Amino acid sequence: MPFPRQRQAPPGGPRQEYLDAFGHDDDVFAARPARRAPGPAQPADPYASVTDWSAGDGGAVGGGGTLADGDADPDDAPPTGEPAPVKGAKGRAFTGIAAAAVTTVLAVVVAGQVADGADGDDVRSQSATDQARDAHDSASRAEGRPTPSATGAAAPLTYQQKMGKTYPLSTTLKGSGKFEAIPGIAKAPGKGQKYTYRVDVEQGLDLDGELFAEAVQKTLNDDRSWAHNGARTFERIETGQPDFVITLASPGTTAEWCAKSGLDTTEDHVSCDSAATERVMINGYRWAQGAKPYGDAIYAYRQMLINHEVGHRIGFNHVTCDKDGELAPVMQQQTKFVDHDGIDCRPNPWAYPNG
């Protein structure tokens, strides 16, 4: 299939008749003697019930016996060495004092619980040492665990997704008439004839100016566009004097600027190249809503809108398709129609659709 034909305006003089609408206490039970090492059984110690703390982790308060084997602290090291012998009456006297002290403490604890009217559910089976250890172990186990991240957060939209969405905007909107340049530059990627341009967006217009600027640069430098075969290249600047200013504006403001060049955009809410000024005007309504010939294909429509109006700026006039089933030339007024005079054409956003 041959490339759609674009008719370039004759040199000299303004181009004729075109309109476009694509627009974060020490414990007394804390120290424990070393446990017995495995070996031959030793003579029974008549004081074992009060002196041998190795059978449990601090004793079972109010339990009437020692802790079960399964309750031993897994963090303790295996016992080593022989226990120190009790030396004479002096040692036994000290042991008796210790036993009395323990008995006194137990009595105070139990009495306190009774005085408080606590029932069996409130009596703790762990010593203060055990409780402190449990708290430490719990905190240690928590270390290193990943903090649950927030779930359900929506991923940001891609460029393609944004370009495929429509946005509400009224055909009767008249904006401030004041413009802002989108910050930043985008270097020309090619080596052909270079055109510089600036992107302006009308102040207060509720459309994504950054997306618009990105779309202009990507579209114009696509090999299917006017940059085909390295013939041209387009560079976005922010300051200085560009070759043209592509401007996204409300329908009312678009009409004002197009009228400066004798063009009426009010009837079909189209866009225009205001040739008598520096501005290529993209109608915000068309950019937001698209046009009937393209249906839901808003992404492709926006590409066509950019290509068509910039096509006028670089010298091309309106043309139409000639045969049924052909792609409409990008310089056809595709905001208004695709089929014409009994000829069924197909929507096409590119100057060179075959690349």
Side-chain angles (χ1 to χ4, degrees), residues 26-104:
D26 294 334
D27 194 283
V28 294
F29 301 111
R32 297 177 297 169
R35 296 181 178 176
R36 294 178 183 272
Q42 301 294 322
D45 183 351
Y47 302 101
S49 61
V50 293
T51 61
D52 187 4
W53 292 79
S54 65
D57 290 336
V61 177
T66 60
L67 292 176
D69 292 340
D71 292 333
D73 189 342
D75 293 335
D76 287 339
T80 60
E82 292 295 326
V86 177
K87 296 182 179 180
K90 188 174 183 179
R92 288 192 294 272
F94 178 78
T95 302
I97 293 171
V102 171
T103 302
T104 301

Side-chain angles (χ1 to χ4, degrees), residues 132-334:
R133 181 186 299 109
D134 288 349
H136 171 76
D137 289 347
S138 177
S140 298
R141 287 191 295 270
E143 292 176 2
R145 293 182 181 177
T147 301
S149 58
T151 58
L157 295 178
T158 65
Y159 168 76
Q160 288 81 4
Q161 288 170 329
K162 288 191 234 181
M163 286 290 282
K165 289 173 61 70
T166 59
Y167 306 92
L169 198 142
S170 171
T171 58
T172 61
L173 178 64
K174 172 67 170 70
S176 65
K178 298 178 181 179
F179 305 108
E180 287 184 324
I182 298 300
I185 63 174
K187 288 292 187 178
K191 295 182 179 179
Q193 181 181 359
K194 184 165 80 171
Y195 290 86
T196 60
Y197 69 93
R198 189 177 76 235
V199 173
D200 281 4
V201 176
E202 187 172 11
Q203 293 179 358
L205 190 65
D206 193 18
L207 292 174
D208 189 340
E210 295 285 351
L211 176 64
F212 178 66
E214 184 178 5
V216 172
Q217 180 73 1
K218 286 183 175 179
T219 300
L220 292 178
N221 287 295
D222 192 295
D223 193 56
R224 296 167 293 177
S225 183
W226 304 114
H228 180 66
N229 279 349
R232 304 172 186 87
T233 188
F234 297 84
E235 180 168 297
R236 178 163 70 92
I237 64 175
E238 181 181 353
T239 60
Q241 183 61 49
D243 293 315
F244 62 90
V245 179
I246 186 164
T247 308
L248 183 62
S250 65
T253 300
T254 296
E256 284 186 358
W257 278 85
C258 292
K260 294 175 185 288
S261 298
L263 303 169
D264 182 3
T265 63
T266 59
E267 183 177 349
D268 295 305
H269 315 295
V270 295
S271 305
C272 82
D273 169 34
S274 182
T277 74
E278 65 178 356
R279 297 192 183 274
V280 174
M281 301 298 299
I282 302 298
N283 192 312
Y285 169 73
R286 291 298 181 187
W287 180 263
Q289 290 286 303
K292 186 175 181 179
Y294 275 74
D296 294 331
I298 186 67
Y299 187 171
Y301 175 78
R302 288 170 177 157
Q303 291 170 321
M304 187 278 298
L305 193 54
I306 293 166
N307 282 325
H308 183 98
E309 298 306 340
V310 173
H312 282 310
R313 175 62 55 159
I314 63 177
F316 293 92
N317 290 324
H318 288 148
V319 293
T320 58
C321 65
D322 296 330
K323 299 178 182 178
D324 285 346
E326 277 189 345
L327 291 174
V330 75
M331 295 312 297
Q332 183 169 313
Q333 292 179 291
Q334 296 178 59

